[in-house]
Amino acid sequence: MSDLFNKILVPYDGSSYADKALDIACRFSKDYGSKVRVLHVIDASHAWVIVGGITLSFEEKLVSEAKKLLSKAIEYAREKHGITIEEKLRIGHPANDIIEEAEEWGADLIIIGAKGISGLKRLLLGSVTEAVAHHANCNVLIVR
């Protein structure tokens, strides 16, 4: 196992950039024995909305979609690279939660896409990548 990158965190939103980040993380894992954890963060600010004084929650639907994305990532790693990766789902503020997850898990490297998919379905914006790059306590590799 590499002493440099034992644990690699991959924020994943299903975008082409996230797919590239996952592919690179899987290659690191195969070549150096690194553990890989794929993380999806549901933006808490988009999990509910108030309409006419009534609060409508989208959390259940967003969690269901996020679990499908994580399953896709796990299957990709297993089928294309022959490795097993971990998954994690969080609800919060994407940049903060990515940084917190990296710290709590003890990640040596975050591999993140330069841009993500915006909108209510999948959330990881270019501004998230920038915040993670500036504030993470570990190395960050930005993939284009």
Side-chain angles (χ1 to χ4, degrees):
M1 182 178 289
S2 169
D3 288 338
L4 188 57
F5 302 126
N6 293 317
K7 294 181 175 182
I8 302 172
L9 182 66
V10 181
Y12 190 77
D13 66 355
S15 68
S16 62
Y17 291 101
D19 287 340
K20 288 178 186 176
L22 178 59
D23 188 62
I24 291 169
C26 289
R27 289 192 223 165
F28 269 97
S29 180
K30 277 185 85 167
D31 292 347
Y32 304 109
S34 307
K35 291 182 183 177
V36 175
R37 178 176 287 179
V38 63
L39 169 70
H40 183 80
V41 180
I42 297 171
D43 190 330
S45 67
H46 295 156
W48 55 272
V49 65
I50 299 174
V51 178
I54 299 171
T55 302
L56 302 173
S57 175
F58 297 102
E59 187 174 317
E60 187 176 316
K61 180 164 178 48
L62 292 172
V63 167
S64 175
E65 288 184 18
K67 286 180 179 179
K68 288 177 188 173
L69 275 176
L70 291 171
S71 293
K72 173 188 160 195
I74 289 168
E75 185 152 332
Y76 170 83
R78 183 177 53 244
E79 289 185 4
K80 182 163 185 194
H81 294 281
I83 64 165
T84 301
I85 63 174
E86 300 177 19
E87 66 180 287
K88 184 75 181 256
L89 174 60
R90 293 178 70 143
I91 300 172
H93 297 82
N96 293 342
D97 278 65
I98 291 165
I99 293 165
E100 286 176 13
E101 183 66 27
E103 290 174 4
E104 290 169 8
W105 186 50
D108 306 297
L109 176 65
I110 299 170
I111 302 180
I112 189 169
K115 297 179 186 176
I117 297 174
S118 61
L120 290 177
K121 288 186 178 179
R122 298 179 188 107
L123 303 158
L124 185 67
L125 309 175
S127 59
V128 171
T129 300
E130 183 177 350
V132 170
H134 282 67
H135 300 291
N137 290 326
C138 63
N139 291 308
V140 178
L141 174 61
I142 299 172
V143 178
R144 294 192 185 278

